[in-house]
Amino acid sequence: MPTAVNGHDLDTTSDAIDEVNVLKGRLWDDESHFEAAKDKETYRNYELACDRVKNFYKEQHEKQTVAFNIEARVNFKKRTRGRMGVWEAMEMLNTLVDESDPDTSLSQIEHLLQTAEAIRKDGKPEWMQVRILVAGLVHDLGKLLLLFGSEGQWDVVGDTFVVGCQFSEKIIYPDTFTTNPDYNDEVFSTKYGIYEPHCGLDNVMLSWGHDEYLYHVLKDQSTLPEEALAMIRYHSFYPWHREGAYSHLTNEKDERILAAFREMLESVAAAGHTFEECKEVLRQNIKLDPGFKDFYAWCKENDVPVIIVSSGMAPLIRAVLSSLVGEEAANEIEIISNDVTIHSDGKWEIKYRHPSSGFGHDKSQAILPYRDLPNPPTLFFFGDGVSDISAARHADLLFVKVKGDGENDLSSYCTREGIKHMLFEDFSHALPVVQSVVAGDKSVTEVLGG
């Protein structure tokens, strides 16, 4: 049965796994460095990190069987886990953050933005940058498996490896596979197992987790090239891209991708980016609803307060707003959202408004105080996804944005719960409705159809 969702625990484990891999890479890059006195502290940190993840890998290595992996892929094809845009998925992913140790770990959005920006700065041709940058931006979104019904942490995070053949000695903690039912199987325990020599990694099963899950999602639902898909699928496949395992299964295509993959990893590892740099990336690339500018201008002229309620981060929202309505107007608009703490050394982390909330911010808490006023105003609320669900039933007139594919989890929720709402394509379509209600030409009930 799936375990209870605990994003903080997942992020703690994931950070420890990453730390082991980083430190392991430093120790193994040059054996003489391993002996140097200056790296004794690195070695101690590596051992400490190992202690934190040994139990995790023991469970993962015991349960990642051929039978489980086949079942996971069957379930993947049978189930629709959710529909949302990329930024909404990033906001949801950002709830998987360990706030108990903010100075030693990046939030999920920080990690995604830094990865994408490192790729952008690498100087590759623009056509290549755009596609690989997108892969860098979304590469960890598969961790949403934790919220979509995973068995535990062991089938979400951790290094990946091939199942269906002999477990490689290059996998971290290889001795912990002895309790895996496949370890002594007469087929699965052989060098090639169920595979043919040099069949290629496209034809093998990698252990199921966030990498493999997102790879299968994007393989069928995106136009990302094979190099970008490889980055997503293989970025935790350390036994292959760092240790050189599985050469008996790889083919020429894999070797070509491996060379490009290693080049990409080096460019990402060499870069570190400030909050201002990440903010500029968003300012240049995130596009807001163009109708919002006229909507805001009318509201301001008619003394209708506009408040942005978001699960994002206020400085980032204000930066994106300034590109659409200008810096002065962006600074005037009240924003109720999560915030950011920026340290003197350039590191930064999310400061959640409601840490216990699924999105770091319970949007209903921004609306309910207006309900308690002696003469409560008419509350118009505009939403487009699952992070708006908590606030949906507290608005007088709820607008739900229509998405490109026609699907919307917020609209589906409201229909199921009997919450009346109005669909809108952009703010230019919503403005006449708001104007008619404010002018008293129509009531909310009339607008909603009775």
Side-chain angles (χ1 to χ4, degrees), residues 94 105-114 348-350:
N94 213 48
S105 343
L106 294 174
S107 74
Q108 302 294 339
I109 284 183
E110 289 172 296
H111 174 57
L112 295 174
L113 290 174
Q114 287 197 356
W348 54 284
E349 79 242 21
I350 308 295

Side-chain angles (χ1 to χ4, degrees), residues 12 99 134 172 176 188 213 253 268 410:
T12 301
E99 291 187 300
V134 171
I172 189 169
T176 58
F188 303 151
Y213 166 67
K253 174 186 174 182
V268 172
L410 177 58

Side-chain angles (χ1 to χ4, degrees), residues 12 15 19 52 97-106 349:
T12 301
D15 285 345
E19 187 176 355
R52 289 199 295 269
V97 174
D98 179 11
E99 291 187 300
S100 67
D101 194 13
D103 292 329
T104 59
S105 343
L106 294 174
E349 79 242 21

Side-chain angles (χ1 to χ4, degrees), residues 267-331:
S267 70
V268 172
H273 303 282
T274 66
F275 181 77
E276 289 301 315
E277 290 174 321
C278 295
K279 186 166 68 174
E280 188 59 30
V281 172
L282 287 178
R283 195 200 313 267
Q284 294 177 8
N285 292 281
I286 301 296
K287 305 300 181 184
L288 290 181
D289 182 337
F292 178 77
K293 186 174 183 178
D294 290 338
F295 179 87
Y296 174 69
W298 180 87
C299 289
K300 183 177 180 181
E301 183 179 339
N302 290 273
D303 295 322
V304 176
V306 173
I307 302 172
I308 293 179
V309 182
S310 173
S311 294
M313 294 162 277
L316 296 182
I317 296 167
R318 216 174 286 283
V320 174
L321 272 176
S322 66
S323 298
L324 181 66
V325 300
E327 190 168 343
E328 181 178 352
N331 289 331

Side-chain angles (χ1 to χ4, degrees), residues 9 50 64 80 88 109 156 168 191 200 206 211 324 329 334 338 388-389 400 417-418 425 440:
D9 285 350
C50 285
Q64 285 280 357
T80 298
E88 188 178 354
I109 284 183
V156 179
S168 172
K191 180 178 180 179
L206 295 186
D211 301 341
L324 181 66
E334 182 180 355
N338 301 314
D388 300 304
I389 285 175
V400 177
E417 296 296 318
E425 294 182 5

